[in-house]
Amino acid sequence: MGLVIDIPAIVANWKALAAKAPGAIAAAVVKADAYGLGAAQVAPALYRAGARDFFVALAGEGREIRPLLPDDARIFVLSGHMEGEDLAGLIPLLNSPEQFFRDRALRPGGPFGIQLDSGMNRLGFEPGEWAAVRAEALAAGPQLIMSHLACADEPAHPANAQQLAAFRAMTEGCGVPRSLAATGGILLGPDYHFDLVRPGIGLYGGEPFRDAQPVVTLALPVIQTREVKPAESVGYGYSWTAERPARIATLAAGYADGLARALAREGKLTLWAGEHAVPVVGRISMDLITADVTGLPFVPEALEILNARQGVDALAALSGTIGYEILTSLGRRYARTYR
């Protein structure tokens, strides 16, 4: 019972995405504690599989995994050089002239990369800013120049081609390894691959990489079962009332564990006992979920909410969010087991 994370499946997904961009180096995005699944376990496993480049959001995340990886592993920090940060052993991806000049003043000769804004308007040098410092930045020897696609999970979106053209225009002739594609960009094809690709959500079993192996199984322990009579109600607000005699199981998880109340808003959330589907009834509360197990031939010790039948994106669709949010919201109260 608890959260089971399949490390070989993550490795297999990394290899499968790497194979889709054979002309590029395949890095691995392990920010947000490897999307909530444990960077301390995931990053070393991917290193053993051949990954040498890793991306984190914050310097603190990089410092946590730096001792776990050999010296030839590069750890890029997407937020760049924030004031007062310790970047020893890390490579900041500088996002602005301010960051560039700060970094060069405080870390002359230290490794760095550049992030460009190709149209997402979130992080990176804007074209005019880059034009003003390009010669000086290139002379300092960046290890990577990257940008990020806003709509890569929508292959037909015109922004993809627009950003590709903008990135090429800003980097043509730079003589530095370039990176534009995360998981969605890899799937857009070779034009987007450049020198290094950055698979992230696809490693962990999420869309848009629909061929990904499932990575996560989450089983919720049953605390108690009870018999409920017709016309009796269950949970806060009495939002579900029995129309027949029912057996109700109460499970030890709730929105404090990343299982949002919205998952049960339309009465469509299903749990699993082996091959048997079990409907959730009533509201999801902070620590508890209730499910109707009347149709089961046995009283289970646990019910699964994430498995090969119901992945993170299926769960996300029920609450109007995305698989990323489901993964990164999984709470610390789950006992984690790594395969």
Side-chain angles (χ1 to χ4, degrees):
M1 292 183 285
L3 184 61
V4 178
I5 298 156
D6 191 336
I7 295 291
I10 295 174
V11 170
N13 291 337
W14 178 78
K15 290 181 177 179
L17 286 165
K20 291 182 179 296
I25 293 170
V29 180
V30 293
K31 63 181 181 176
D33 196 27
Y35 290 51
L37 300 185
Q41 290 76 25
V42 170
L46 291 172
Y47 180 92
R48 291 191 294 271
R52 293 295 179 269
D53 297 295
F54 299 85
F55 286 78
V56 295
L58 304 170
E61 296 175 338
R63 290 193 297 270
E64 288 179 1
I65 63 171
R66 180 69 273 180
L68 306 178
L69 297 171
D71 291 343
D72 65 334
R74 298 190 298 178
I75 301 173
F76 291 94
V77 180
L78 292 162
S79 60
H81 188 160
M82 302 291 285
E83 191 169 359
E85 279 287 11
D86 175 10
L87 292 167
L90 308 176
I91 304 173
L93 288 157
L94 307 177
N95 289 293
S96 65
E98 177 189 11
Q99 284 199 351
F100 174 72
F101 291 116
R102 176 192 299 138
D103 189 70
R104 294 301 84 193
L106 298 176
R107 303 171 60 249
F112 72 98
I114 295 288
Q115 183 160 195
L116 303 176
D117 177 16
S118 56
M120 194 173 187
N121 287 307
R122 197 175 64 167
L123 277 181
F125 287 79
E126 295 184 9
E129 295 174 329
W130 175 238
V133 303
R134 172 177 163 138
E136 185 175 351
L138 292 180
Q143 297 200 4
L144 183 72
I145 297 178
M146 67 158 284
S147 189
H148 193 56
L149 294 167
C151 304
D153 56 346
E154 302 175 54
H157 199 293
N160 295 319
Q162 292 165 6
Q163 285 194 258
L164 176 60
F167 185 62
R168 282 181 169 157
M170 284 192 284
T171 60
E172 209 64 57
C174 67
V176 176
R178 294 179 288 175
S179 177
L180 180 61
T183 298
I186 293 171
L187 301 176
L188 290 177
D191 285 348
Y192 292 83
H193 294 166
F194 291 92
D195 303 293
L196 181 146
V197 293
R198 312 183 310 271
I201 187 63
L203 304 181
Y204 309 106
E207 292 182 355
F209 185 33
R210 298 192 175 184
D211 295 330
Q213 292 188 22
V215 168
V216 174
T217 302
L218 177 57
L220 311 179
V222 173
I223 303 172
Q224 183 181 9
T225 58
R226 68 180 61 247
E227 305 298 324
V228 173
K229 299 175 183 177
E232 288 188 329
S233 300
V234 173
Y236 283 122
Y238 278 10
S239 63
W240 183 84
T241 300
E243 297 178 352
R244 51 168 173 73
R247 180 185 298 120
I248 302 300
T250 301
L251 300 108
Y255 58 76
D257 306 289
L259 304 176
R261 292 175 79 244
L263 283 169
R265 63 186 171 184
E266 296 181 6
K268 296 179 181 178
L269 178 58
T270 297
L271 307 181
W272 295 86
E275 301 292 329
H276 301 277
V278 175
V280 167
V281 297
R283 293 180 182 172
I284 295 175
S285 57
M286 182 182 293
D287 313 296
L288 301 171
I289 295 174
T290 45
D292 184 354
V293 296
T294 309
L296 296 181
F298 55 90
V299 176
E301 293 185 2
L303 295 171
E304 292 180 353
I305 190 168
L306 283 171
N307 54 27
R309 299 178 186 84
Q310 182 167 269
V312 292
D313 292 293
L315 208 60
L318 293 173
S319 56
T321 186
I322 54 177
Y324 299 73
E325 185 174 354
I326 297 294
L327 283 175
T328 58
S329 298
L330 294 174
R332 285 290 155 195
R333 296 196 292 188
Y334 299 121
R336 280 166 161 75
T337 301
Y338 291 89
R339 287 180 179 162

